[in-house]
Coordinates of all heavy atoms in Angstrom, one line a residue:
A49 N 91.8 91.1 95.7 CA 91.8 92.2 94.7 C 90.5 92.2 94.0 O 90.0 93.3 93.6 CB 93.0 91.9 93.7
E50 N 90.0 91.0 93.7 CA 88.7 90.9 93.1 C 87.6 91.7 93.8 O 86.8 92.5 93.2 CB 88.3 89.4 93.0 CG 86.9 89.1 92.5 CD 86.8 89.2 91.0 OE1 87.9 89.1 90.3 OE2 85.7 89.4 90.5
I51 N 87.6 91.5 95.1 CA 86.6 92.2 95.9 C 86.8 93.7 96.0 O 85.9 94.5 95.8 CB 86.5 91.6 97.4 CG1 86.0 90.2 97.4 CG2 85.6 92.5 98.3 CD1 86.3 89.4 98.7
L52 N 88.1 94.1 96.2 CA 88.3 95.5 96.3 C 88.1 96.3 95.0 O 87.6 97.4 95.1 CB 89.8 95.7 96.8 CG 90.0 95.4 98.3 CD1 91.5 95.5 98.6 CD2 89.2 96.3 99.2
N53 N 88.4 95.6 93.9 CA 88.1 96.3 92.6 C 86.6 96.6 92.5 O 86.3 97.6 91.8 CB 88.5 95.3 91.5 CG 89.9 95.6 91.0 OD1 90.3 96.7 90.7 ND2 90.7 94.5 91.0
R54 N 85.8 95.8 93.1 CA 84.3 96.1 93.0 C 83.8 96.9 94.1 O 82.9 97.8 94.0 CB 83.5 94.8 93.0 CG 83.9 93.8 91.9 CD 83.7 94.4 90.5 NE 82.3 94.8 90.3 CZ 81.9 95.4 89.2 NH1 82.7 95.7 88.2 NH2 80.6 95.8 89.0
M55 N 84.4 96.7 95.3 CA 83.8 97.3 96.5 C 84.2 98.8 96.7 O 83.4 99.6 97.1 CB 84.2 96.6 97.7 CG 83.4 97.0 99.0 SD 84.0 96.1 100.4 CE 83.0 94.6 100.4
V56 N 85.4 99.1 96.3 CA 85.8 100.5 96.5 C 84.9 101.5 95.7 O 84.4 102.5 96.3 CB 87.3 100.7 96.2 CG1 87.8 102.1 96.2 CG2 88.1 99.9 97.3
P57 N 84.7 101.3 94.4 CA 83.8 102.2 93.7 C 82.4 102.2 94.3 O 81.7 103.3 94.4 CB 83.8 101.7 92.3 CG 84.9 100.7 92.1 CD 85.3 100.3 93.5
L58 N 81.9 101.1 94.8 CA 80.5 101.0 95.3 C 80.5 101.8 96.6 O 79.5 102.5 96.9 CB 80.1 99.6 95.6 CG 79.7 98.8 94.3 CD1 79.4 97.4 94.7 CD2 78.4 99.5 93.7
M59 N 81.5 101.7 97.4 CA 81.6 102.5 98.7 C 81.6 104.0 98.4 O 81.0 104.8 99.1 CB 82.8 102.1 99.5 CG 82.6 100.7 100.3 SD 84.0 100.5 101.4 CE 83.3 99.2 102.5
R60 N 82.3 104.3 97.3 CA 82.3 105.8 97.0 C 80.9 106.2 96.6 O 80.5 107.3 96.9 CB 83.3 106.0 95.8 CG 84.7 105.9 96.3 CD 85.7 106.2 95.2 NE 87.1 106.1 95.8 CZ 88.1 105.7 95.0 NH1 88.0 105.4 93.8 NH2 89.3 105.6 95.6
E61 N 80.2 105.3 95.9 CA 78.8 105.7 95.5 C 77.9 105.9 96.7 O 76.9 106.6 96.6 CB 78.2 104.6 94.6 CG 78.4 104.7 93.2 CD 77.5 103.8 92.4 OE1 76.3 103.9 92.6 OE2 78.0 103.0 91.6
L62 N 78.3 105.3 97.8 CA 77.5 105.5 99.0 C 77.9 106.8 99.7 O 77.4 107.1 100.8 CB 77.8 104.3 100.0 CG 77.2 102.9 99.6 CD1 77.7 101.9 100.6 CD2 75.7 103.0 99.6
G63 N 78.8 107.5 99.1 CA 79.2 108.8 99.6 C 80.3 108.7 100.6 O 80.6 109.7 101.3
L64 N 81.0 107.6 100.6 CA 82.1 107.4 101.5 C 83.5 107.9 100.9 O 83.6 107.8 99.7 CB 82.3 106.0 101.9 CG 81.1 105.5 102.8 CD1 81.1 104.0 102.9 CD2 81.1 106.1 104.2
N65 N 84.3 108.3 101.7 CA 85.7 108.8 101.3 C 86.6 107.6 101.4 O 87.2 107.4 102.5 CB 86.0 110.0 102.2 CG 87.4 110.5 102.0 OD1 88.1 110.0 101.2 ND2 87.8 111.4 102.9
V66 N 86.8 106.9 100.4 CA 87.5 105.6 100.5 C 88.7 105.6 99.5 O 88.5 105.9 98.3 CB 86.6 104.4 100.1 CG1 87.3 103.1 100.3 CG2 85.3 104.4 100.9
D67 N 89.8 105.1 99.9 CA 91.0 104.9 99.0 C 91.4 103.5 99.2 O 91.1 102.8 100.1 CB 92.1 105.8 99.3 CG 91.8 107.3 98.9 OD1 91.1 107.4 97.8 OD2 92.3 108.2 99.5
W68 N 92.2 103.0 98.2 CA 92.8 101.7 98.2 C 94.3 101.8 97.8 O 94.6 102.4 96.7 CB 92.0 100.8 97.2 CG 92.6 99.5 96.9 CD1 93.6 98.8 97.7 CD2 92.3 98.6 95.8 NE1 93.9 97.6 97.1 CE2 93.2 97.4 96.0 CE3 91.5 98.7 94.7 CZ2 93.1 96.4 95.1 CZ3 91.5 97.6 93.8 CH2 92.3 96.5 94.0
K69 N 95.2 101.3 98.6 CA 96.6 101.3 98.3 C 97.1 99.9 98.3 O 96.7 99.1 99.1 CB 97.4 102.2 99.3 CG 96.9 103.6 99.4 CD 97.5 104.5 98.3 CE 97.1 105.9 98.5 NZ 96.5 106.6 97.4
V70 N 98.1 99.7 97.4 CA 98.7 98.4 97.3 C 100.2 98.5 97.8 O 100.9 99.4 97.3 CB 98.7 97.9 95.9 CG1 99.4 96.5 95.7 CG2 97.2 97.8 95.4
I71 N 100.6 97.6 98.7 CA 102.0 97.7 99.1 C 102.9 97.2 98.0 O 102.5 96.4 97.2 CB 102.3 97.0 100.5 CG1 101.9 95.5 100.4 CG2 101.6 97.7 101.6 CD1 102.5 94.7 101.5
R72 N 104.2 97.5 98.2 CA 105.2 97.1 97.2 C 106.2 96.1 97.9 O 106.3 96.1 99.1 CB 105.9 98.4 96.9 CG 106.9 98.5 95.8 CD 107.0 100.0 95.5 NE 108.0 100.6 96.4 CZ 109.3 100.4 96.3 NH1 109.8 99.5 95.5 NH2 110.1 101.1 97.2
G73 N 106.9 95.4 97.1 CA 107.9 94.5 97.6 C 108.7 93.8 96.5 O 108.2 93.9 95.3
D74 N 109.8 93.3 96.8 CA 110.6 92.6 95.8 C 110.3 91.1 95.9 O 109.5 90.7 96.7 CB 112.1 92.9 95.9 CG 112.7 92.4 97.3 OD1 111.9 91.8 98.1 OD2 113.9 92.6 97.5
N75 N 111.0 90.4 95.0 CA 110.7 88.9 95.0 C 110.9 88.3 96.3 O 110.2 87.4 96.8 CB 111.5 88.3 93.9 CG 111.0 87.0 93.4 OD1 109.7 86.8 93.4 ND2 111.8 86.0 93.1
D76 N 112.0 88.7 97.0 CA 112.3 88.1 98.3 C 111.1 88.3 99.3 O 110.8 87.5 100.1 CB 113.5 88.7 98.9 CG 114.8 88.2 98.3 OD1 114.7 87.1 97.6 OD2 115.9 88.8 98.4
F77 N 110.6 89.6 99.3 CA 109.5 89.9 100.2 C 108.3 89.0 99.9 O 107.7 88.4 100.8 CB 109.1 91.3 100.1 CG 107.8 91.7 100.9 CD1 107.8 91.6 102.3 CD2 106.6 92.1 100.2 CE1 106.7 92.0 103.0 CE2 105.5 92.4 101.0 CZ 105.5 92.3 102.3
F78 N 107.9 88.8 98.6 CA 106.7 88.0 98.3 C 107.0 86.5 98.5 O 106.1 85.8 98.8 CB 106.2 88.3 96.9 CG 105.6 89.7 96.8 CD1 106.0 90.7 96.0 CD2 104.5 90.0 97.7 CE1 105.4 91.9 96.0 CE2 103.9 91.2 97.7 CZ 104.3 92.2 96.8
K79 N 108.3 86.1 98.4 CA 108.6 84.7 98.8 C 108.3 84.5 100.3 O 107.8 83.5 100.7 CB 110.0 84.4 98.5 CG 110.2 83.9 97.1 CD 111.6 83.3 96.9 CE 111.9 83.0 95.5 NZ 113.3 83.3 95.1
V80 N 108.7 85.5 101.1 CA 108.5 85.5 102.5 C 107.0 85.5 102.8 O 106.5 84.6 103.6 CB 109.2 86.7 103.3 CG1 108.7 86.8 104.7 CG2 110.7 86.5 103.2
T81 N 106.2 86.4 102.2 CA 104.8 86.4 102.6 C 104.1 85.2 102.1 O 103.1 84.7 102.7 CB 104.1 87.7 102.0 OG1 104.4 87.8 100.6 CG2 104.7 89.0 102.7
K82 N 104.5 84.6 100.9 CA 103.9 83.4 100.5 C 104.2 82.3 101.5 O 103.4 81.4 101.8 CB 104.4 83.0 99.1 CG 103.8 81.8 98.5 CD 102.3 81.9 98.2 CE 101.7 80.6 97.8 NZ 100.3 80.7 97.3
S83 N 105.4 82.3 102.0 CA 105.8 81.2 103.0 C 105.0 81.4 104.3 O 104.6 80.5 105.0 CB 107.3 81.2 103.3 OG 107.7 82.3 104.1
F84 N 104.7 82.7 104.7 CA 103.8 83.0 105.8 C 102.4 82.4 105.5 O 101.8 81.7 106.4 CB 103.7 84.5 106.1 CG 104.8 85.1 106.8 CD1 106.1 84.5 107.0 CD2 104.7 86.4 107.3 CE1 107.1 85.1 107.6 CE2 105.8 87.0 108.0 CZ 107.0 86.4 108.1
H85 N 101.9 82.7 104.4 CA 100.6 82.3 104.0 C 100.5 80.7 104.1 O 99.6 80.2 104.7 CB 100.4 82.7 102.5 CG 99.1 82.4 101.9 ND1 98.1 83.3 101.8 CD2 98.7 81.3 101.3 CE1 97.1 82.7 101.2 NE2 97.4 81.5 100.8
N86 N 101.5 80.0 103.5 CA 101.5 78.6 103.6 C 101.6 78.1 105.0 O 100.9 77.1 105.4 CB 102.6 78.0 102.7 CG 102.4 78.2 101.2 OD1 101.3 78.4 100.8 ND2 103.4 78.1 100.4
A87 N 102.5 78.8 105.8 CA 102.7 78.4 107.2 C 101.4 78.5 108.0 O 101.1 77.7 108.9 CB 103.8 79.2 107.8
L88 N 100.7 79.6 107.8 CA 99.5 79.8 108.5 C 98.4 78.8 108.1 O 97.6 78.3 109.0 CB 99.0 81.3 108.3 CG 99.8 82.4 108.8 CD1 99.4 83.7 108.3 CD2 99.8 82.4 110.4
Q89 N 98.3 78.5 106.8 CA 97.2 77.6 106.4 C 97.5 76.1 106.6 O 96.6 75.4 106.7 CB 96.9 77.9 104.9 CG 96.3 79.3 104.7 CD 95.2 79.3 103.6 OE1 94.1 79.8 103.8 NE2 95.5 78.8 102.5
T90 N 98.8 75.8 106.6 CA 99.1 74.3 106.7 C 99.6 73.9 108.0 O 99.7 72.7 108.3 CB 100.2 73.9 105.6 OG1 101.4 74.6 106.0 CG2 99.8 74.3 104.2
G91 N 100.1 74.9 108.8 CA 100.6 74.5 110.1 C 102.1 74.1 110.0 O 102.7 73.8 111.0
Q92 N 102.6 74.2 108.8 CA 104.0 73.8 108.7 C 104.9 74.9 108.1 O 104.4 75.6 107.2 CB 104.2 72.6 107.7 CG 104.0 71.3 108.4 CD 103.4 70.2 107.5 OE1 103.7 70.2 106.3 NE2 102.7 69.3 108.1

Side-chain angles (χ1 to χ4, degrees):
E50 174 77 20
I51 293 166
L52 288 174
N53 269 307
R54 301 300 302 176
M55 192 182 274
V56 169
L58 284 174
M59 283 189 163
R60 288 185 181 145
E61 270 197 55
L62 290 172
L64 294 165
N65 172 4
V66 185
D67 285 329
W68 170 18
K69 303 278 184 230
V70 177
I71 59 162
R72 188 163 83 70
D74 62 3
N75 200 33
D76 283 344
F77 174 66
F78 288 120
K79 274 193 186 142
V80 167
T81 55
K82 181 71 189 188
S83 76
F84 281 13
H85 180 98
N86 291 340
L88 293 168
Q89 290 214 133
T90 65
Q92 274 153 29

